[in-house]
Amino acid sequence: PVADRIADQAQGNPLALRVLTAALTPAQRAGQLGPLGLPEDTAPLPDLLAEQIARLPDPTRALLTAAAADDTGDLTVVIRAAARLGGTIADLEPAEQAGLLRLNAGTVRFGHPLIRYAAYRSAPLARRIAAHHALASALDPTQHAHRRAWHLAAAATGPDEQVAAELERVAEWAGSRQAMASASAAYERSAHLTADPRLRSRRLIDAAQKAAEAGQDERCRTLADQVPLPLKDPALAADFARLRAVVELGYGSPAEAARTLLACADEVGTARPDKLPLLLTDAIHAALSAGDTALMGEAAARAPHLPALVVPARLFAAKAHAPAGPPPDPIRAADGGPHDQGAGTSDPHAPTGDGVMDRLLAGHYAHLLADHARAYEHAVATVDQCRERGVGGWLPTALDLLARVEAALGRTDDTQAHAAEGLRLADYYDLAHRAAHLRARLALLAAMQGREAETRASAEEALAYTRPRGVGRATADALQALGLLELGLGRAESALTHLQAAAAETPHPALAQDLLPDLIEAAVRAGRPEQAHEPTARLTAWAAAVRRPALTALSHRCTALTAPDEATEAHFVTALELHAHAYEPEPEDGPGSESEPRPGREPDGSPYQLARTALLYGEWLRRRRRPVDARAHLRTAMELFARHGATPWADRARTELEAAGESHAPDAGAAADTRVARLSPQEREVVRLAATGATNREIATQLFLSPRTVGHHLYRAFPKLGINSRTELADLLT
């Protein structure tokens, strides 16, 4: 954000870039740039500019200072301010003749981006204060309250509660208009003008909260460090603990962030029970990132009656789940929903509020319970909410959830697009924790598609961050990516090593349900079926507990790999039937049996997982010398793998198909080489949105690009796609 601000002020001038950057104070480098902030250091001015300004008449220099202090170039405001300084527009004529200013009927423009800086910095402090006072007086207090407040703040030389209160209102106004960074700056300046220690703490905490929402975690840490301790007010203590947890989650250990929140919940929960839901849901989120379900259960056990904690309380509280035993009633109750007879019509993992965290956790709960269709709805709503409210700091996290769910649904292109967008934003905001999750997500997709170098690079970069900090869930994802890559390339021993390490990071089947099928297949292919029995039992018990067709299909596939020969085929057949059932739409709510068709919702299964099951069944049939039966399943597998770009798997299916007697099996790699595959990840994102009819400006807003960059991506994409206009995009992508 600081670099963007300086680049904007420099207007593309290289000298201005150097001078303005050199003039930044340490505080400004850390992000403390208010809307009117010019660099404040006394770096040497270019000699020519200093001499030109020094030769101007004193009244002209006073008005030049006012024009420099104004951030809009509004000539009317500058003239009004000039009158309050005892001058007139005629006093600007010498500056105009010297080429320092350009005036027209409505605006004031400086001839060079450094002139504004030089005019402001060369003025004595008293003259700068007078200029800000004059500008504040020239502005309408209703129409331009925010600009007026900033000028009054710039003129303040010590605590001033009246100005601080005006700035606080500016912060509230900016926050209501999705300008979180501006709101944070206003709260911060308000705090610095506040003499009351408690009120100062409140405003610094508000500033840090808005910085976190804006994606400025480093600035959040700097602001939190300014809060005077100890905090005797329980409400302030709770909000401060949430800030410290944001910092710890972003730069340290997510488990430690969760423990910080739990300790605060124990301290202030009695005095401020209204703060408990926020503290505990934040703790759940941090513990989920750590992959620590025991810690999630510990958090939920403190208030299991709270709607936001019902699911983790039933899933992860002590003795709530025995992995290899029969499905316990608390887990069935947590799932609720359409599979439970008489369960009612409530959604047990619906958002409990309208905040980003409420929707985010609802999506995670649905995903943990293998209700991917519901999880997708919540994830899309969370992403939309982040965009609409300008909560850029949470957008990469929401995109990671969306990409995770899309991967579970087999939406390969969407997974790539959203994970790539999230990573770009996380890197832009320097949010290393979120970036690690997203790199692991992209590594998994690259592994499925056999892109070896990309998989290893993304996974290793993610692991370099996650392992030292105990980010268990992202560690498991990155290790699973390495294992899946090896499994797809036929290196089962190496795959088993990686996948067992991944499983150690996520011992609870709710977190490992995507991983366990890979682990089980790797163990069987490595000739170690005895190492597949325990994970198969865990997956089977969990599938029976949550009762989702897609997950139950995976459990039957894995059971087929480990069952006696006489039971194998029945499990494969059941798995394929359940995969097909998982694609049937489901109702929004209401009871029903698993065999009933349910129109009204998105499919809940993945074509990629269907292909994996069909491949294994086809291989088994061929080994049993039933090539005719095997061909249909192997052909289905090859076509689905090719459609998802899973080249190693498609090649394996093609080899098996040829071995089963189909001598002219099409080249799976060629089938996967579609025109869309030639596009870069960002070109795909732009093209995908353009196909919906979105304008360049609308696409730019959604992807945080400039309209010109969007146009450039389309210009490069059209020749690759073999089209000439936007009107051809929709048909092509369909």
Side-chain angles (χ1 to χ4, degrees), residues 206-224:
D206 287 341
Q209 286 175 332
K210 293 301 179 187
E213 291 178 10
Q216 300 174 349
D217 280 12
E218 179 60 42
R219 189 161 175 274
C220 173
R221 173 161 61 183
T222 301
L223 290 164

Side-chain angles (χ1 to χ4, degrees), residues 12 94 109 129 230 291 304 528 629 641 652 661 687 690:
R109 291 286 181 267
I129 290 173
R528 301 184 185 182
D629 294 335
F641 285 138
R652 192 167 111 193
V687 164

Side-chain angles (χ1 to χ4, degrees), residues 108-255:
V108 180
R109 291 286 181 267
F110 287 89
H112 187 283
L114 283 180
I115 296 174
R116 181 188 175 208
Y117 167 62
Y120 190 82
R121 288 305 313 148
S122 64
L125 175 62
R127 180 170 287 170
R128 298 202 301 271
I129 290 173
H132 284 295
H133 272 304
L135 287 165
S137 299
L139 290 167
D140 182 274
T142 301
Q143 188 176 1
H144 300 294
H146 57 297
R147 288 170 57 202
R148 181 177 181 276
W150 273 109
H151 281 299
L152 291 174
T157 56
D160 187 325
E161 181 52 37
Q162 183 176 350
V163 176
E166 286 199 38
L167 269 180
E168 185 172 29
R169 287 191 288 273
V170 167
E172 293 167 354
W173 174 85
S176 70
R177 285 159 176 77
Q178 297 81 48
M180 301 307 172
S182 296
S184 177
Y187 275 126
E188 179 188 9
R189 183 62 177 140
S190 175
H192 291 163
L193 296 175
T194 303
D196 182 333
R198 182 189 176 283
L199 193 53
R200 177 185 175 88
S201 296
R202 170 77 274 165
R203 288 166 175 166
L204 282 170
I205 289 171
D206 287 341
Q209 286 175 332
K210 293 301 179 187
E213 291 178 10
Q216 300 174 349
D217 280 12
E218 179 60 42
R219 189 161 175 274
C220 173
R221 173 161 61 183
T222 301
L223 290 164
D225 287 343
Q226 297 177 40
V227 176
L229 301 176
L231 295 170
K232 297 180 180 179
D233 185 324
L236 288 181
D239 291 343
F240 182 72
R242 296 180 69 207
L243 287 182
R244 300 306 300 178
V246 166
V247 174
E248 185 64 34
L249 182 64
Y251 297 98
S253 160

Side-chain angles (χ1 to χ4, degrees), residues 336-662:
H339 301 307
D340 291 329
Q341 297 290 345
T345 59
S346 62
D347 178 3
H349 33 74
T352 56
D354 64 353
V356 170
M357 182 63 79
D358 299 307
R359 293 187 183 277
L360 191 67
L361 283 181
H364 276 297
Y365 293 160
H367 179 66
L368 291 175
L369 292 163
D371 188 351
H372 304 312
R374 185 81 68 181
Y376 178 76
E377 294 169 6
H378 295 322
V380 169
T382 307
V383 169
D384 289 345
Q385 187 175 37
C386 287
R387 296 193 199 280
E388 291 165 5
R389 297 189 179 183
V391 188
W394 281 105
L395 184 53
T397 303
L399 286 166
D400 178 54
L401 171 63
L402 180 57
R404 179 184 289 275
V405 174
E406 286 169 337
L409 291 170
R411 301 185 178 199
T412 307
D413 289 343
D414 289 341
T415 301
Q416 174 72 44
H418 290 127
E421 180 190 357
L423 180 58
R424 188 178 71 252
L425 292 172
D427 282 341
Y428 173 79
Y429 287 122
D430 198 21
L431 304 174
H433 176 93
R434 296 162 177 82
H437 279 280
L438 288 153
R439 282 194 174 89
R441 179 78 30 239
L442 288 167
L444 270 167
L445 182 59
M448 182 192 84
Q449 297 180 333
R451 292 178 272 132
E452 186 168 3
E454 185 179 337
T455 301
R456 297 194 188 284
S458 296
E460 293 298 340
E461 189 171 356
L463 289 169
Y465 179 89
T466 62
R467 274 177 161 157
R469 296 167 178 82
V471 189
R473 203 167 191 208
T475 297
D477 287 341
L479 289 169
Q480 183 188 356
L482 294 172
L484 180 61
L485 174 70
E486 299 289 352
L487 186 61
L489 295 175
R491 301 192 282 255
E493 283 282 355
S494 178
L496 182 59
T497 300
H498 288 303
L499 293 166
Q500 287 176 330
E505 296 287 338
T506 53
H508 196 288
L511 272 64
Q513 56 189 310
D514 299 328
L515 159 68
L516 290 174
D518 294 342
L519 171 60
I520 293 160
E521 183 176 340
V524 172
R525 288 192 175 279
R528 301 184 185 182
E530 72 283 356
Q531 296 186 22
H533 290 302
E534 188 276 334
T536 300
R538 278 202 293 151
L539 181 64
T540 300
W542 184 245
V546 299
R547 299 169 66 183
R548 305 298 309 179
L551 185 60
T552 306
L554 295 182
S555 74
H556 278 284
R557 178 176 92 200
C558 293
T559 302
L561 292 175
T562 57
D565 282 350
E566 61 271 16
T568 297
E569 185 161 19
H571 285 293
F572 273 133
V573 170
T574 302
L576 290 173
E577 290 174 350
L578 286 166
H579 278 306
H581 178 78
Y583 304 142
E584 291 181 11
E586 294 188 339
E588 291 298 331
D589 46 43
S593 70
E594 289 191 1
S595 62
E596 296 172 352
R598 302 181 179 100
R601 278 187 47 202
E602 290 290 330
D604 204 22
S606 165
Y608 168 70
Q609 293 298 345
L610 168 59
R612 292 274 296 270
T613 301
L615 173 61
L616 288 167
Y617 186 30
E619 289 175 333
W620 183 86
L621 288 169
R622 190 184 69 78
R623 289 196 302 271
R624 294 301 178 278
R625 299 182 179 180
R626 294 165 58 184
V628 175
D629 294 335
R631 286 175 201 159
H633 299 294
L634 294 171
R635 195 179 302 111
T636 295
M638 189 191 67
E639 291 171 356
L640 288 174
F641 285 138
R643 192 182 305 167
H644 286 75
T647 304
W649 299 90
D651 288 343
R652 192 167 111 193
R654 180 172 179 268
T655 300
E656 286 285 335
L657 189 57
E658 290 176 344
E662 189 156 317

Side-chain angles (χ1 to χ4, degrees), residues 689 695-708 710:
L689 292 172
T695 66
N696 283 13
R697 187 166 297 279
E698 290 168 341
I699 297 170
T701 300
Q702 183 160 336
L703 298 182
F704 290 84
L705 301 172
S706 70
R708 180 177 296 177
V710 171

